[in-house]
Amino acid sequence: MKNIFLSIFLAALYSSACQNVQKSSDPIKRLLRQMTTKEKIGQMTQLNIGLICKGALYNLDEPLQIDADKLKKAISEYGVGSILNAGNSHGHSISTWHEIITEIDKESRKTNHKIPVLYGIDAIHGANYLMEGTLFPQPLAQAATFNPELIQKVAEITAYETRAMGIPWNFSPVLDVARQPLWSRVFETYGEDPFLASQMGASAIRGYQGEGTEVDNFHVSGCMKHFLAYSFPFTGKDRTSVYVHPIQLREIFLPSFEKAIEEGALSVMINSGDLNGIPVHADKSILTDLLRKELGFTGVAVTDWEDIIKLVDFHHIAKDLKEAVKISINAGIDMSMVPNDYNFSDLLLELVEEGEVPMKRIDEAVFRILDLKKKLGLFDDPLWFQKEDYPLLSSDSFRQVAENVAEESVTLLKNQNQVLPLSKDLRIGVSGNALEKLTLVNGAWSRTWQGVDSQWDDTSKNTLWDALSKKSPKSIKLKESSDAQNVDAIVLFFGEKPSTEKPGDIHSLDVPTSWVKQVKELAKYNKPIILVLSVNRPLIIREMEPYCDAILMSYLISENGTNAIAKTLLGDINPSGILPITYPRHTNSLLPYDHKYTDRLNIDFGMGAFKPQYAFGHGLSYSSFDYKEFTLNNDTFNQKDTLILSYTITNTSDRNAMKTELIFISDLVASVAPAVKRLRAFNKKEIRARDKQTYQFVIPISSLAFVHSDLQKKVEPGEFIVHVGDWSKKIVVY
Ligand code: BGC
């Protein structure tokens, strides 16, 4: 949050920018002056690709083909500014994408101002709607690497392959922090912590958009989503009510967006749900006062899918669609992801003519949209992909990065008696519903929206069975439990059914009872059991955990990540992933690591109530480490000082290791009840076998600020404790 003076300055800047639209000689502003109201509203309209292709909306002819009449209606008649989505909800080949984009562009050249159309797509973990695209581990797995540079690379490659498709706008990253483990989109987030999500999100924006203010032909516009607090539904169900105090809103949910804005994010998508009773698409205090005036965001704000319609049908805050259009546009929406009819455009035109939506608001929105098109180079060359070569598309080097991410994300949760790594000569019995199913490692947004249909699998990729049996040839598939008699160890690979959004709603976090049953049956054979989880969210494993000697969390690691699981099991990789989210033990105790002190109180008024299955940041290694030489530059600090902490870690094992270090700081007394601790810095390094590394953290005292009851972020003098693992030290801030 900016301080009050900065807010006033930004508000002044914002209002003068609006006035300048009318005066300047900027080509965008000139263009704006020449456009009719209908043309302007066209720019604010985003349609589903189904509306311009042959066939029925959700049953289009295959391969996709443009329907000339439908396209003419959209572009020439309505002047539609943007199109989205994959068509029939699945991926297409690069040649199909090129044909579609080229046809759209041809039509736009027939219009009065020849304004290029902006195509947008969800490339959530790689270019997942391109059949040739490289799939990366899903964002939660990416977060487990705690390696922002690697996440920037993921975004760069995703941008490259998306641009190669002919698409310059990606609806990613998800900057919602995962504070509600039941929520169906936990796997799309960078975890529960605002600092981690901010670091990863900023890296993603940097990777998508590249350096500078213009975006070249190898980068795309990112889209921060879903503003604001979408990830915290009270019921756990997608797109349902969120109740959060303004202090927590700013303390927990805002920082990742704030940081992405600082990084130059060019667009934002809005939360479909209601926040403290007001649907965010109708909330001017969020869309204009907070986003624009306070945070100074100047990019495009697009609705989520049908969200203006939902103000009538779902939220019941508007009596009809016309009222909903009026409320949302006046609240600050620039573009409506309508996306399946022309009602929005017709009604907005009426509203402007009736004076119900001021022209100033329309000009402001259209300016932002045209400006985005300009920054993306669309006015210069909307068909860049016809000239530009993309030789690295689907390359081994891209796949290798996906494997690297997977290798750094696999998280070893339990390793009793060092049962892992397994020797390759062992007879390993393997089973589990995910063993031979790529869909269960890819998850949703993998060539299809929900990710369940295996007809779109890339069969050249290794399932876990392929990966493991190639490296450990004595492995056998356990057809029934009794087979377990003849094996040395058992690997069970369980996967949650892929899903996202509403189809991913669940009533309980418990794992399927069939998983527990299978583990218990196999446990009778007294062989080491290794459980590998491939899940959309941290499903409760409390009942099966005691029967498992080792547990690996693979998140949704993707088809390029199964090798990493096999390598980890067999010791070719030393695991280094750590949990970016608290792993709960009970389905009704879903607290994040940075809960309040009161959350720790148990029925005896003792302090043992917070007892997750695994803590945020937990993740074992095959190496052991020795910590030494802690030094802190001071023990009292003023508010402008910087805390410098350093220490060395020795890898006392014979294996090279990667080691992530987390620095938590606790505020002991604060005027707003403080969290028990907060993550303030992290760093990951390689420590070679028998070698040591020095870690140094530079933490400005200003980063210990918290949101006060006046909603301003300030440091409050007092005592704090710095924690590193078991080490801690008290400091005083005055
Ligand atoms: C999702 C968004 C997505 C949009 C476009 C919506 O249903 O909530 O995250 O970007 O669809 O596909």
Side-chain angles (χ1 to χ4, degrees), residues 84 122 171 185 225-226 239 269 304-305 337 501:
L84 89 154
D122 293 278
F171 303 134
R185 307 187 73 170
K225 65 189 197 184
H226 307 75
R239 291 171 157 83
M269 191 183 291
D304 202 340
W305 190 270
M337 189 185 286
E501 303 186 43

Side-chain angles (χ1 to χ4, degrees), residues 354-561:
E354 291 159 9
E356 295 289 334
V357 172
M359 200 60 201
K360 189 164 158 251
R361 183 70 267 285
I362 302 292
D363 280 341
E364 175 183 76
V366 180
F367 174 80
R368 290 175 187 149
I369 293 163
L370 297 177
D371 191 48
L372 176 59
K373 292 184 178 189
K374 176 171 161 276
K375 288 191 170 118
L376 292 169
L378 300 186
F379 285 104
D380 300 329
D381 185 4
L383 299 178
W384 67 88
F385 51 89
Q386 294 181 343
K387 293 184 207 112
E388 206 78 69
D389 256 355
Y390 290 89
L392 292 176
L393 176 74
S394 307
S395 61
D396 272 355
S397 61
F398 284 1
R399 187 196 37 75
Q400 187 55 54
V401 175
E403 276 205 46
N404 294 348
V405 177
E407 289 175 2
E408 289 198 29
S409 67
V410 173
T411 305
L412 180 60
L413 298 177
K414 177 176 181 182
N415 195 16
Q416 199 163 287
N417 303 324
Q418 268 65 48
V419 64
L420 289 180
L422 299 171
S423 150
K424 289 178 186 132
D425 303 326
L426 293 183
R427 231 169 120 77
I428 307 173
V430 285
S431 183
N433 65 330
L435 190 60
E436 296 186 272
K437 289 228 173 66
L438 288 174
T439 47
L440 296 195
V441 293
N442 283 332
W445 304 111
S446 300
R447 301 193 192 93
T448 65
W449 174 43
Q450 290 296 313
V452 271
D453 189 347
S454 57
Q455 71 163 304
W456 305 100
D457 285 353
D458 176 350
T459 48
S460 72
K461 301 292 179 183
N462 283 342
T463 61
L464 184 62
W465 167 250
D466 300 329
L468 196 61
S469 55
K470 274 181 201 157
K471 288 183 174 295
S472 166
K474 289 193 200 154
S475 301
I476 56 162
K477 284 186 221 164
L478 294 179
K479 296 216 170 56
E480 34 191 288
S481 308
S482 57
D483 296 353
Q485 258 160 354
N486 310 314
V487 299
D488 302 311
I490 298 166
V491 171
L492 284 174
F493 190 32
F494 288 137
E496 184 181 356
K497 184 180 166 212
S499 64
T500 183
E501 303 186 43
K502 286 309 284 181
D505 282 355
I506 53 174
H507 301 293
S508 159
L509 264 183
D510 286 327
V511 293
T513 47
S514 60
W515 297 8
V516 184
K517 195 166 157 240
Q518 195 178 355
V519 171
K520 285 186 177 171
E521 255 166 39
L522 288 167
K524 291 181 195 143
Y525 297 92
N526 264 330
K527 305 290 165 69
I529 295 180
I530 294 102
L531 171 67
V532 184
L533 293 164
S534 183
V535 284
N536 306 350
R537 51 206 138 196
L539 296 181
I540 304 292
I541 54 168
R542 185 185 68 256
E543 201 180 337
M544 56 206 275
E545 185 273 340
Y547 300 91
C548 303
D549 299 85
I551 302 177
L552 270 190
M553 173 62 150
S554 72
Y555 311 91
L556 291 172
I557 206 156
S558 92
E559 61 195 23
N560 292 313

Side-chain angles (χ1 to χ4, degrees), residues 31 56 217 238 278 305 391 413 513 542 548 587 605 611:
L31 172 58
N217 289 343
D238 188 49
I278 304 178
W305 190 270
L413 298 177
T513 47
R542 185 185 68 256
C548 303
T587 198
F605 292 4
K611 204 163 169 263

